[in-house]
Amino acid sequence: MSEIPEDLKYSESHEWVRLEEDGIVTIGITDHAQEALGDLVFVELPNKGNILNTEDACGVVESVKAASDIFSPITGEVIEVNLTVPDAPELVNESPYGKGWLFKLKPTENSDLDKLLAYDGYERFLEAEE
Amino acid sequence: MGRKTPLYNKHLESKAKMVDFGGWDMPLHYGSQIQEHHQVRRDAGMFDVSHMTIIDLTGQRVREFLRYLLANDVERLKKIGKALYSCMLNEKGGVIDDLIVYLQNDNQFRMVVNAATRDKDIAWITQQAKPFQIQINERDDLTMLAVQGPVAREKVRDLLPENLQTSVKALAPFYATWNNGEFFVARTGYTGEEGFEIILPASKVSDFWEALLVAGVAPIGLGARDTLRLEAGMNLYGEDMDENNTPLESGLSWTVAFKPENRDFIGRRVLQAQRDKKEHQIMVGLILRDKGVLRAHQIVSIENGGKGQITSGTFSPTLGVSIAFARLPAGKYKDVTVTIRNKQLSAQVVKPPFVRHGKACIAS
């Protein structure tokens, strides 16, 4: 069973969202997603300053066997990207919720977060998907 | 649920992620396919290839039959145990399958063909064999392992029955040796490394697998098998070869024996016309200069506006860049452009293999 931290929110396209104290959100892909993809070898991230809408394809994670789009789970402006990840994609496999985070957004609408799944909802979603 | 090899439970014990492959439940990886790849390049790893099809062909006219059936010429097999890689073609020169055939004695050859092509291969061989009175014996009582890597041969040797150890030690590349129909050991492989492919009774394979594990030979899944064979410049049936393309269009001209001129083999006429006209498509290797991953079916653009296609591509763990095979219009190329998600990326054209015996063999 993959790891699903209780303090995060989740999208059905397997991104996670962490609300930081300053109202900024950090985004990455879930443990389930990295496990399903296998060893990552290429990551393409949005650029700082990009304005993203919910469900915009804003990046790509590729493993040896498959490519998968990253969709923005909420609407907002990209204020920081994890520049270590494109040079070391294995960080996403090793630490999907930690060193393998992908980018940070300043949300336009705080209510966007409420539309995402809580940990137990994501857990049920994964069970139903199998 | 697909078919299971006798090693299915062993794979689960090693925490394999199982996937469907040609109707079989096979291990994709046991945690990390990149680590498994490096394990084979640097040490020794083992693959369960029991899904592959082993066929023994017997009869007084078996050599004559195979000289007609195969594009390569089994007349090249003079010594007992020698192996030959060949395509089996249809009348149009398209590849029905690629295979290895071993000379066992004057009246018997052993053939190893792919798993997903099993039914059509056996139907085709049976149909073609009729006038030659050949006995076709599919050996589903046997299983097959590949043990590959720089230290693979020494690790295997100690675990073999004593009456085989001397002949296995002396085994030359692309030869096989065997004892009383129990162990059949061939110095062949699909990785570009040293090693053996071993055929043995299904009843013995679990103990042998376990002994190899104890000797420090790691299990390797199909994921790493694919990156290893691509680096080694070896084609995969269904991706780089199929019934719609000839060996000349699949980088396999070297496997077609046009000489002697009077040997008639299935597909010969089409291949000969194609060879003489020199306008057929060619297969090349690509190395991506930019970041990204080359994959099957991506479009390749050449200078004069012509187009080709990637047949299989991946990330090369040894080189740290993406590599591929591509089928292109006839010509000579140094650079091409590959379209990946609407971006035009530059790739260098090379002659495979990309990696042999753990070392890069492409100058960039």
Side-chain angles (χ1 to χ4, degrees):
Chain A
M1 197 60 207
S2 62
E3 191 194 341
I4 308 173
E6 293 185 13
D7 57 334
L8 306 181
K9 295 278 199 170
Y10 300 89
S11 71
E12 292 189 356
S13 47
H14 308 287
E15 289 85 15
W16 57 262
V17 179
R18 182 191 294 119
L19 178 63
E20 311 291 356
E21 282 173 9
D22 52 4
I24 298 299
V25 297
T26 305
I27 291 159
I29 65 166
T30 65
D31 189 32
H32 170 84
Q34 71 78 18
E35 202 182 302
L37 282 163
D39 291 326
L40 293 185
V41 293
F42 176 67
V43 177
E44 193 177 82
L45 297 174
N47 293 317
K48 207 167 152 178
N50 283 169
I51 307 292
L52 303 177
N53 289 312
T54 305
E55 291 176 14
D56 274 357
C58 61
V60 177
V61 280
E62 289 204 45
S63 68
V64 188
K65 66 179 164 115
S68 177
D69 285 320
I70 306 163
F71 298 98
S72 183
I74 58 173
T75 299
E77 181 187 344
V78 179
I79 59 154
E80 197 180 341
V81 294
N82 186 353
L83 294 173
T84 59
V85 161
D87 290 327
E90 65 274 14
L91 284 177
V92 180
N93 293 117
E94 289 160 10
S95 175
Y97 301 112
K99 286 182 180 167
W101 66 275
L102 299 180
F103 57 98
K104 295 185 187 212
L105 279 184
K106 187 177 180 193
T108 313
E109 302 256 0
N110 281 329
S111 62
D112 271 5
L113 271 167
D114 302 332
K115 295 172 192 160
L116 295 168
L117 298 166
Y119 81 96
D120 49 351
Y122 183 61
E123 198 172 76
R124 279 196 298 274
F125 176 74
L126 290 185
E127 278 164 16
E129 227 187 17
E130 271 173 16
Chain B
M1 291 294 269
R3 294 177 70 180
K4 292 180 172 54
T5 78
L7 291 168
Y8 181 79
N9 286 323
K10 290 281 170 204
H11 298 317
L12 296 188
E13 280 171 25
S14 293
K15 300 197 165 58
K17 178 171 176 165
M18 304 299 286
V19 292
D20 173 72
F21 185 82
W24 292 79
D25 284 345
M26 298 301 289
L28 179 64
H29 60 72
Y30 303 83
S32 163
Q33 75 173 80
I34 289 183
Q35 272 176 32
E36 289 165 27
H37 181 105
H38 292 316
Q39 170 75 19
V40 173
R41 287 270 178 260
R42 295 167 187 167
D43 193 344
M46 58 180 165
F47 307 76
D48 177 9
V49 282
S50 304
H51 58 308
M52 295 191 75
T53 311
I54 303 161
I55 304 166
D56 286 341
L57 300 166
T58 316
Q60 288 192 346
R61 296 175 66 193
V62 66
R63 192 183 281 268
E64 185 192 346
F65 167 60
L66 289 172
R67 294 194 76 198
Y68 171 68
L69 182 75
L70 303 178
N72 210 338
D73 188 358
V74 295
E75 197 58 29
R76 290 176 175 180
L77 303 181
K78 304 284 190 204
K79 291 186 185 161
I80 300 294
K82 182 81 174 115
L84 183 76
Y85 174 77
S86 181
C87 290
M88 179 166 74
L89 307 179
N90 59 28
E91 297 287 356
K92 292 177 183 165
V95 183
I96 295 174
D97 205 359
D98 69 324
L99 54 90
I100 290 188
V101 63
Y102 301 92
L103 171 64
Q104 290 209 269
N105 64 52
D106 282 341
N107 296 324
Q108 186 171 326
F109 288 76
R110 168 163 288 179
M111 194 185 253
V112 179
V113 305
N114 283 299
T117 49
R118 175 184 168 274
D119 293 349
K120 70 164 186 177
D121 286 357
I122 289 175
W124 178 258
I125 294 167
T126 307
Q127 183 194 333
Q128 301 303 328
K130 269 182 198 149
F132 297 88
Q133 293 164 306
I134 306 297
Q135 282 170 30
I136 299 162
N137 187 8
E138 193 200 338
R139 299 297 305 271
D140 49 17
D141 55 321
L142 298 179
T143 53
M144 189 162 155
L145 296 184
V147 187
Q148 304 272 300
V151 301
R153 286 194 295 147
E154 49 200 85
K155 298 230 171 181
V156 168
R157 241 161 19 212
D158 300 342
L159 304 174
L160 290 170
E162 249 170 63
N163 62 2
L164 259 182
Q165 294 199 357
T166 312
S167 62
V168 163
K169 196 165 185 182
L171 202 61
F174 243 66
Y175 273 88
T177 183
W178 54 89
N179 66 354
N180 326 326
E182 206 180 35
F183 277 75
F184 177 102
V185 181
R187 195 167 159 191
T188 51
Y190 195 46
T191 62
E193 295 301 322
E194 272 295 349
F196 295 124
E197 292 179 300
I198 303 156
I199 295 173
L200 68 168
S203 56
K204 304 223 167 200
V205 72
S206 287
D207 288 347
F208 193 64
W209 179 270
E210 195 60 41
L212 284 163
L213 268 183
V214 171
V217 179
I220 312 294
L222 290 178
R225 186 168 166 82
D226 193 52
T227 52
L228 287 160
R229 68 93 193 166
L230 233 158
E231 285 188 348
M234 295 171 177
N235 285 14
L236 173 63
Y237 191 80
E239 289 200 8
D240 310 306
M241 315 167 255
D242 56 42
E243 295 194 17
N244 301 317
N245 292 284
T246 70
L248 310 190
E249 296 162 323
S250 310
L252 295 174
S253 302
W254 62 277
T255 70
V256 179
F258 285 110
K259 285 179 187 165
E261 299 288 342
N262 63 359
R263 180 177 71 102
D264 180 32
F265 63 86
I266 302 169
R268 176 171 191 129
R269 237 165 298 160
V270 177
L271 260 51
Q272 210 156 304
Q274 209 173 46
R275 177 195 63 177
D276 295 343
K277 219 174 166 192
K278 295 193 175 75
E279 288 174 0
H280 64 81
Q281 291 186 302
I282 54 164
M283 195 80 124
V284 300
L286 299 183
I287 298 181
L288 188 64
R289 294 183 197 276
D290 299 301
K291 282 195 170 186
V293 185
L294 300 169
R295 299 202 188 269
H297 311 303
Q298 286 168 351
I299 300 297
V300 180
S301 306
I302 55 177
E303 279 164 10
N304 61 9
K307 293 211 187 308
Q309 210 179 74
I310 289 180
T311 55
S312 58
T314 191
F315 174 81
S316 159
T318 305
L319 304 178
V321 292
S322 183
I323 58 171
F325 298 144
R327 189 172 280 123
L328 304 180
K332 283 198 162 48
Y333 310 100
K334 274 173 90 174
D335 292 282
V336 294
T337 304
V338 185
T339 308
I340 305 180
R341 284 186 299 271
N342 301 321
K343 280 187 197 161
Q344 308 297 316
L345 302 181
S346 163
Q348 180 193 359
V349 177
V350 298
K351 190 176 185 305
F354 301 92
V355 178
R356 269 289 152 94
H357 299 131
K359 303 236 160 43
C361 40
I362 299 285
S364 54

